[in-house]
Amino acid sequence: MQTVISPIDEQSLERAKNIISSGGLVAFPTETVYGLGADALNEEAVRLIYATKGRPSDNPLIVHVHKDFDITRLVCDIPGYARLLAEAFLPGPLTMVYKSRGVVCPAVSCGLDTLAVRVPSHDGAQRFLSYLDIPVAAPSANVSKHVSPVTARHVYDDLNGKIQLILDGGKCAGGIESTVLDCTGKVPCILRSGLITRDMVAQVAGECDEYHMAAGEKVRSPGMKYKHYSPRCKTALFKYEDRFLALDRYRECTAQGSRAVIMCDDAVAADMEDARILSLGSSESDIASNLYDKLREGEKIADIIIAVAPLKQDGVMVGVMNRLTKACG
Ligand code: TXA
Ligand code: MG
């Protein structure tokens, strides 16, 4: 199968619609990472997502809808706080989990009685969803366990020959996947951290819990139990306080003839003397936005990525640290 990368225009949207309505998959941009979309009402098409990514069949998918889509067609029991949150943050990088009406096919939620719904803000995603006018099930458009894609080229590198069309909407500005928020309880609960932080949710909803899996408990967000986001080279992760140990490690690796690179923010980079640096930038949003791009660059140019955590660990950095730990820890 030939994989085409196309800018988003009338012609490529028409092609996308034809592919999706005949049960195929189309990759599309969002403000977080690229998604691999299929018709959420077509069981075969949804199964094809799992097969194409090599995704475990117990890790449920998010359904993406256009901003004018009436989500009460898909879910019920929407609590008051969820309406406030939707008003405050949607369209945007917040996925909300509700009780499902069972309208989308069971493979989307892996048999759970809940459904994760997301309204992406990326203009290309909105155009795609409006053109199709159906709920689109989509995970990140990478091979399972690899780093999520933030450019059309990243999608191509993982899925070339496996899908027909990649809609190119440029580099994703957000850079890490959406916050997943369980809205089935009295208080909203973060299942996966992201750009919409716990404080931001709490400010609108009054309170916000954060889920941590207890030993022996049945996991509430199945995706969280898998190793994720791994680059295809060796990795090491150092705390901010241990940044000079990271520099020692870099020198050791280099002395042994291994191609090493240090991935860190600009504040840390200032202490790294003449080491080869993959810079994440300096602001929180830059660090999130550059993380996957730099991990993918690193695996191409180095035998080992030596990551150093930023000093700041709260807010958006909770989501960044979660990915960094899974990628390099
Ligand atoms: O930003 C994003 O969310 C991207 C873009 C493409 O929209 N999508 C994404 O999808 O990251 P994926 O499949 O890589 O991650 C979906 C996450 C998983 O951790 C999964 O366990 C959780 O959402 N999830 C999906 N449905 C769920 C449900 N019904 N209950 C709890 N967690 C759910
Ligand atoms: Mg993913």
Side-chain angles (χ1 to χ4, degrees):
M1 184 185 296
Q2 214 206 330
T3 303
V4 175
I5 300 180
S6 174
I8 303 173
D9 53 28
E10 194 68 22
Q11 206 185 343
S12 61
L13 287 172
E14 187 59 35
R15 173 117 200 271
K17 189 173 186 168
N18 287 334
I19 293 170
I20 296 278
S21 59
S22 55
L25 310 180
V26 172
F28 63 99
T30 81
E31 71 280 19
T32 58
V33 301
Y34 274 72
L36 180 62
D39 179 354
L41 307 172
N42 179 338
E43 181 87 13
E44 289 275 304
V46 173
R47 287 190 189 288
L48 188 57
I49 292 179
Y50 290 89
T52 303
K53 281 186 56 119
R55 183 183 177 98
S57 59
D58 64 347
N59 187 6
L61 304 174
I62 297 169
V63 161
H64 296 65
V65 296
H66 182 257
K67 62 180 165 44
D68 297 331
F69 189 91
D70 174 14
I71 67 158
T72 63
R73 284 164 58 188
L74 305 180
V75 296
C76 53
D77 300 349
I78 298 175
Y81 67 76
R83 292 181 202 283
L84 296 175
L85 290 167
E87 216 166 277
F89 300 120
L90 300 187
L94 178 66
T95 296
M96 299 166 85
V97 176
Y98 300 109
K99 185 151 188 354
S100 175
R101 285 195 190 276
V103 174
V104 305
C105 58
V108 172
S109 289
C110 303
L112 298 172
D113 61 359
T114 53
L115 182 67
V117 184
R118 162 150 153 70
V119 186
S121 61
H122 190 290
D123 176 62
Q126 282 294 319
R127 285 174 71 192
F128 172 66
L129 293 166
S130 147
Y131 207 90
L132 296 179
D133 201 25
I134 50 165
V136 170
S140 49
N142 51 287
V143 165
S144 190
K145 300 182 181 62
H146 194 208
V147 179
S148 293
V150 294
T151 66
R153 184 70 215 188
H154 292 161
V155 180
Y156 187 88
D157 287 346
D158 275 24
L159 300 178
N160 178 26
K162 295 185 176 167
I163 59 173
Q164 286 170 267
L165 179 63
I166 301 167
L167 295 174
D168 188 350
K171 188 181 169 204
C172 304
I176 59 173
E177 300 87 346
S178 63
T179 303
V180 178
L181 190 70
D182 185 340
C183 297
T184 62
K186 277 211 171 79
V187 174
C189 178
I190 291 185
L191 302 179
R192 178 177 73 183
S193 48
L195 297 173
I196 306 293
T197 64
R198 184 176 181 176
D199 279 353
M200 290 162 77
V201 172
Q203 249 171 40
V204 174
E207 347 169 38
C208 178
D209 289 338
E210 189 160 7
Y211 174 68
H212 298 282
M213 190 173 41
E217 190 195 347
K218 187 171 180 288
V219 60
R220 268 166 70 187
S221 188
M224 301 309 279
K225 71 180 185 228
Y226 293 106
K227 184 169 162 61
H228 264 97
Y229 324 114
S230 307
R232 294 183 172 127
C233 64
K234 279 204 266 178
T235 55
L237 175 60
F238 289 83
K239 292 182 191 145
Y240 176 83
E241 307 82 81
D242 294 336
R243 61 198 180 284
F244 293 105
L245 295 178
L247 187 57
D248 291 345
R249 178 75 181 274
Y250 171 85
R251 288 179 175 147
E252 261 168 49
C253 292
T254 310
Q256 288 163 3
S258 134
R259 295 174 308 158
V261 66
I262 296 183
M263 190 179 80
C264 60
D265 66 17
D266 289 346
V268 173
D271 287 332
M272 293 297 111
E273 299 187 14
D274 52 2
R276 188 172 188 194
I277 300 291
L278 277 175
S279 168
L280 295 172
S282 44
S283 69
E284 281 189 33
S285 59
D286 281 351
I287 294 170
S289 167
N290 289 326
L291 182 66
Y292 289 152
D293 194 34
K294 294 299 168 186
L295 284 170
R296 280 189 179 247
E297 189 182 330
E299 70 180 6
K300 284 195 172 150
I301 62 168
D303 302 315
I304 179 166
I305 299 174
I306 300 168
V308 183
L311 173 62
K312 194 170 180 297
Q313 298 277 307
D314 59 350
V316 170
M317 290 301 116
V318 175
V320 167
M321 282 311 297
N322 167 278
R323 273 65 169 195
L324 197 55
T325 309
K326 285 187 177 175
C328 300

